[in-house]
Amino acid sequence: VMIIGVTLLVIPIYFPMWGGMFCGPKEGVTEVDYYLADFTEEEKEAGVASSVLKFAKEAASERAAVNRPEELSEKEKSPV
């Protein structure tokens, strides 16, 4: 009974990038959107979120090659 009760508490959890138990992710949401949602525009402009932005870009580069954003895939193809 406890397993069912705890599972029912998890059902409403939803992550925009990954989705939830019964629905998929939102289209077009990236790591940058997800991780920078905690910061205000003023904090972003002041550079408070720069380390989080760096982490988000690194997280996007860790995806499988077929799931990476366009700009990251193109950087890997160019020899520069």
Side-chain angles (χ1 to χ4, degrees):
V1 174
M2 188 170 185
I3 293 172
I4 295 171
V6 172
T7 303
L8 292 174
L9 293 173
V10 176
I11 289 173
I13 296 175
Y14 178 78
F15 297 98
M17 256 188 75
W18 302 284
M21 287 185 81
F22 298 116
C23 50
K26 284 186 181 178
E27 290 295 320
V29 177
T30 64
E31 285 88 349
V32 174
D33 300 328
Y34 181 75
Y35 291 115
L36 290 182
D38 295 333
F39 295 93
T40 64
E41 288 300 319
E42 294 81 24
E43 290 173 329
K44 292 175 190 175
E45 291 172 5
V48 175
S50 62
S51 61
V52 175
L53 180 62
K54 183 178 178 183
F55 175 79
K57 289 184 179 181
E58 187 64 30
S61 72
E62 295 292 324
R63 288 187 191 178
V66 295
N67 295 329
R68 289 188 190 137
E70 295 288 329
E71 64 271 4
L72 292 175
S73 298
E74 291 174 8
K75 279 185 185 178
E76 293 176 355
K77 292 178 186 175
S78 66
V80 178

